[in-house]
Amino acid sequence: QKEVEQNSGPLSVPEGAIASLNCTYSDRGSQSFFWYRQYSGKSPELIMFIYSNGDKEDGRFTAQLNKASQYVSLLIRDSQPSDSATYLCAVNSYQLTFGKGTKLSVIP
Amino acid sequence: SAVISQKPSRDICQRGTSLTIQCQVDSQVTMMFWYRQQPGQSLTLIATANQGSEATYESGFVIDKFPISRPNLTFSTLTVSNMSPEDSSIYLCSVEGGPNEASEQYFGPGTRLTVT
């Protein structure tokens, strides 16, 4: 069974700090990897995707992928209170499998 | 990305009844998906709906309980049949596709269902 693991948190960081969110996956055949942000009571919003080893940067967000270690992470630089949400890692082999999410709290 | 709407946004239903959830997309898409998100949990795929063919259900989900229609490339419905309190959940439709090659999915706003 394909599994995607995330620390449930909550992860608390002060405003302006770097938030680091981690995810491991079990299926070595996975091809693409996604980070979704979900505010309470809202649906998931895609914020980053990555499918090659290494780093991918988009504004304050950086996704990192290491297929050998089956590990994907999301860094949020200069964290803002508006970044407080649950972050879902999703991994695509033949279907999208979601982790349980990490709740991030950015403290002003 | 596609703009996705769902109806109803929320409902409170009595056990034993059925509810049909609609998902409308503003552009033609091949793949549509239905997910369930139970309170405090992550997303679980119920089924994949392709236009012109039977929906493909994931383990633990059956057509009699969750019948799906996909009459065209912009619309799908999910029915939750013979509801019980355990069906209380958020139901989300999603579509695959965008300007990138990673097969990303985009979600509708969800339908919050409470069964009493």
Side-chain angles (χ1 to χ4, degrees):
Chain A
Q1 183 172 348
K2 301 178 178 65
E3 294 184 348
V4 178
E5 300 286 343
Q6 296 181 254
N7 289 326
S8 61
L11 173 66
S12 294
V13 300
E15 183 174 356
I18 295 175
S20 178
L21 304 163
N22 304 315
C23 173
T24 59
Y25 59 95
S26 63
D27 184 6
R28 285 194 171 273
S30 300
Q31 296 296 314
S32 47
F33 308 85
F34 305 87
W35 285 99
Y36 288 83
R37 177 177 61 199
Q38 187 172 26
Y39 293 113
S40 181
K42 302 294 185 181
S43 65
E45 173 192 9
L46 180 66
I47 55 172
M48 287 288 289
F49 73 90
I50 187 168
Y51 48 82
S52 299
N53 275 329
D55 295 359
K56 179 182 179 182
E57 185 174 321
D58 183 1
R60 295 186 297 112
F61 299 98
T62 299
Q64 299 175 317
L65 175 61
N66 184 327
K67 289 187 177 180
S69 300
Q70 297 174 243
Y71 177 91
V72 59
S73 65
L74 179 70
L75 301 178
I76 306 174
R77 290 182 300 280
D78 188 24
S79 296
Q80 301 297 308
S82 59
D83 295 326
S84 298
T86 296
Y87 289 80
L88 301 170
C89 172
V91 175
N92 196 344
S93 48
Y94 85 97
Q95 71 178 49
L96 207 56
T97 302
F98 285 82
K100 293 185 177 181
T102 297
K103 187 172 184 178
L104 173 66
S105 180
V106 181
I107 311 300
Chain B
S1 62
V3 176
I4 307 167
S5 60
Q6 285 185 236
K7 290 182 182 180
S9 59
R10 59 178 63 227
D11 207 343
I12 301 173
C13 301
Q14 292 190 343
R15 69 177 67 204
T17 63
S18 299
L19 176 72
T20 295
I21 302 167
Q22 299 178 7
C23 180
Q24 179 78 51
V25 189
D26 70 343
S27 59
Q28 294 184 339
V29 294
T30 302
M31 308 274 283
M32 294 182 76
F33 306 87
W34 287 99
Y35 288 84
R36 180 173 73 182
Q37 187 174 30
Q38 294 181 305
Q41 301 297 313
S42 190
L43 282 75
T44 301
L45 180 64
I46 297 171
T48 301
N50 293 328
Q51 193 266 337
S53 63
E54 297 264 343
T56 302
Y57 289 83
E58 297 302 311
S59 177
F61 299 97
V62 295
I63 188 171
D64 289 347
K65 176 67 175 177
F66 297 101
I68 288 171
S69 76
R70 183 79 200 275
N72 57 52
L73 290 173
T74 63
F75 187 78
S76 179
T77 67
L78 169 75
T79 299
V80 186
S81 302
N82 188 25
M83 288 183 285
S84 67
E86 291 71 34
D87 294 318
S88 297
S89 188
I90 299 173
Y91 291 86
L92 296 146
C93 69
S94 74
V95 302
E96 184 178 80
N100 308 297
E101 298 179 355
S103 300
E104 65 268 33
Q105 289 184 23
Y106 298 91
F107 286 86
T111 296
R112 184 179 295 270
L113 171 62
T114 301
V115 184
T116 60

